[in-house]
Amino acid sequence: MGKLTQEEINVDLFDEVKRLKSELRISQQKIDQLEETIRIYKISDEIVKEQSKKIKHLFPLENIVGYGQLCDKVL
């Protein structure tokens, strides 16, 4: 294998920079999707908490296992 010319090195570096930029763009898109998913889960969690407050008095044993599932079924 012969010695690379400066032009070949520059082309290789340019291609590597393009590849890294593409990977960065894909990673940023994945991060954005995950942040949106987290935001949706937080909102839905707050909605469930608000709605469960309305019926909480119907379940005096709220600390038992399954309380959340009961509330979900009633909602």
Side-chain angles (χ1 to χ4, degrees), residues 41-56 67 71-72 75:
Y41 274 107
K42 284 181 178 179
I43 290 171
S44 59
D45 188 48
E46 289 300 316
I47 291 171
V48 168
K49 285 179 183 176
E50 288 176 19
Q51 295 298 316
S52 65
K53 285 179 186 177
K54 295 176 184 177
I55 60 168
K56 196 172 186 176
Y67 172 70
C71 287
D72 287 342
L75 294 175

Side-chain angles (χ1 to χ4, degrees), residues 21-62:
K21 282 183 175 181
S22 176
E23 284 184 21
L24 179 62
R25 190 171 27 260
I26 291 168
S27 294
Q28 187 60 49
Q29 289 171 347
K30 288 179 181 178
I31 289 170
D32 292 344
Q33 289 171 348
L34 289 172
E35 287 175 342
E36 180 67 10
T37 300
I38 290 169
R39 186 184 74 78
I40 290 169
Y41 274 107
K42 284 181 178 179
I43 290 171
S44 59
D45 188 48
E46 289 300 316
I47 291 171
V48 168
K49 285 179 183 176
E50 288 176 19
Q51 295 298 316
S52 65
K53 285 179 186 177
K54 295 176 184 177
I55 60 168
K56 196 172 186 176
H57 66 280
L58 299 173
F59 302 97
L61 302 174
E62 63 188 58

